[in-house]
């Protein structure tokens, strides 16, 4: 049984990925400082996976180098899936040092501890934002990292570059840079889902909070984009499909002990888009939610949100070809599962 370290594993995407790992027979150790998640997630994960699933939760920060070194001494990890990071774009503009410290310095601490322990396999949570503001759509992995427009995006591009350079320096490193598009939805059990603190920044959590009566109406940011209905277009992906992509990527890049040749194939830097390849506008998402969930979402149109791009979506061919991974769950599944999670947990994990 292989053991995987999952940083940020009590968070939104991390928790769904931990379920997928446990269901596939991995042992999992979560390291999370709970700055944006709840320890209650751990019991929920076990409820879904199996009460006796091999899961250890350690509360701690990836910048705590002593803790990290001890962790790598205590466990024989076959690889790391690295979710831990701060993700609020707007906050990163007002608090850049906090973002670079947490995301970039934190990742460096992790990479250093991995190097010392000779654990050289990592799946990293990157983002479509690294393509920058001028990239043509759909985004393809062969495009260069572009002009990021905020410290959050820059921190992701920096971490990607650090990992890429490490692969050049040491050919035993295997790195999957997974560029997520817009993860939404929740596990179908309604036990785990997205639980934003305060006012949600993202579209779907805002919609579900309006639907449940926590917020009066949705603001639609920008109705004058050069898109068919004037609202922004994104590639929404079900978080459960996204989680499964991590397993496929991990398996692809993992060294096999008894086959060094295969190891060489998996080593190096690999970039994969994790999206569906299909874009939907804000109004289409509202419509899909109203239709699938039977709740009307009152909304007001507002000016464009600063820093938002008009439209982007993935070319998802590379992940399909190389990982044999696709995202079959539809927008209807995504909104239905998000609504089920919200209704089952009106106050999130509290
Ligand atoms: P999340 O906030 O729910 O999860 C991140 C987790 O990391 C949280 O549980 C938080 O407590 C933990 N964490 C943060 N800093 C830490 C630190 N220094 N030490 C230990 N734990 C720490 O976010 P998420 O949506 O699950 O995102 C996971 C990763 O995916 C992040 O790196 C994020 O930037 C990236 N990502 C997310 C999206 C998205 O739309 N959700 C899109 C692209 C990329
Ligand atoms: N959006 C919106 N109202 C909101 C939140 C988001 O109209 O309250 C729009 C936003 O302008 C973008 C789309 O919804 O066009 C997705 O935004 P989100 O913040 O979820 O993702 P990101 O901007 O990171 O792609």
């Amino acid at each position: 049984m292989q053991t995987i370290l999952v940083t940020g594993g009590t968070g939104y995407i991390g928790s769904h990925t931990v379920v997928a790992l446990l269901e596939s027979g991995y042992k999992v150790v979560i390291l999370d400082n709970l700055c944006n998640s709840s320890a209650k997630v751990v019991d929920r994960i076990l409820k879904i996976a199996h009460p006796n699933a091999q899961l250890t939760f350690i509360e701690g920060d990836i910048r705590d180098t002593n803790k990290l070194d001890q962790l790598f001494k205590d466990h024989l990890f076959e690889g790391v899936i690295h979710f831990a990071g701060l993700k609020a774009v707007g906050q990163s503009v007002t608090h850049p040092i906090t973002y670079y410290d947490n995301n970039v310095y934190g990742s460096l601490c992790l990479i250093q501890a991995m190097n010392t322990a000779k654990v050289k396999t990592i799946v990293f949570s990157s983002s479509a934002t690294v393509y920058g503001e001028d990239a043509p759509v759909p985004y393809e992995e062969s495009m260069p990292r572009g002009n990021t427009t905020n410290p959050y995006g820059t921190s992701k591009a920096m971490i990607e570059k650090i990992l890429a350079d490490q692969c050049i320096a040491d050919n035993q490193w295997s790195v999957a840079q997974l560029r997520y598009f817009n993860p939404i939805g929740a596990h179908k059990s309604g036990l785990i889902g997205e639980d934003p603190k305060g006012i949600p920044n993202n579209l779907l959590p805002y919609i579900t909070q309006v639907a449940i009566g926590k917020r009066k109406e949705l603001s639609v940011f920008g109705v004058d984009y050069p898109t068919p209905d004037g609202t922004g277009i994104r590639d929404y992906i079900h978080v459960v499909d996204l989680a499964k992509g991590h397993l496929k990527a991990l398996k692809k890049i993992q060294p096999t002990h008894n086959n060094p040749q295969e190891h060489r194939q998996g080593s190096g830097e690999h970039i994969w888009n994790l999206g569906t390849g299909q874009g939907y506008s804000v109004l289409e998402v509202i419509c899909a939610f109203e239709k699938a969930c039977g709740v009307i979402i009152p909304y007001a149109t507002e000016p464009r949100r600063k820093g938002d791009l008009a439209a982007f979506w993935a070319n998802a061919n590379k992940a399909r070809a190389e990982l044999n991974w696709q995202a079959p769950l539809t927008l209807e599944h995504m909104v239905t599962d998000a609504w089920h999670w919200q209704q089952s947990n009106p106050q999130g994990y509290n």
Side-chain angles (χ1 to χ4, degrees), residues 7-14 31-37 60-63 82-87 102-103 124-128 152 156 180-183 194 202:
T7 74
T10 47
Y12 172 46
I13 306 168
L31 176 69
D32 198 304
N33 66 2
L34 302 179
C35 71
N36 197 38
S37 54
D61 196 296
I62 51 169
R63 292 163 298 181
H82 177 33
F83 294 102
L86 301 175
K87 63 168 182 176
N102 195 81
N103 294 5
F124 171 56
S125 292
S126 188
S127 163
Y152 165 72
K156 290 289 171 192
Y180 311 156
F181 283 71
N182 286 59
E194 188 167 14
N202 299 111

Side-chain angles (χ1 to χ4, degrees), residues 182 200-204 206 218-221 225 232-234 236 282 305 308-309 312:
N182 286 59
N201 288 310
N202 299 111
L203 179 63
L204 204 69
Y206 208 108
L218 171 74
S219 299
V220 174
F221 297 133
Y225 284 110
I233 291 179
R234 297 290 183 272
Y236 296 95
V282 175
R305 191 170 63 177
D308 271 358
L309 299 179
F312 62 85

Side-chain angles (χ1 to χ4, degrees), residues 211 260 278:
Q278 158 92 52

Side-chain angles (χ1 to χ4, degrees), residues 107-116 122 162-163 166 173:
S107 296
L108 272 175
C109 293
L110 176 68
I111 294 162
Q112 243 150 17
M114 290 175 67
N115 211 35
T116 306
I122 184 169
I162 292 167
L163 288 168
Q166 186 56 20
W173 273 78

Side-chain angles (χ1 to χ4, degrees), residues 128 131-132 135-141 143 181 273 309 311-315:
Y131 288 103
V137 288
Y139 294 167
E140 286 178 18
E141 292 88 343
M143 292 173 179
F181 283 71
N273 284 341
L309 299 179
F312 62 85
W313 60 93
N315 177 328

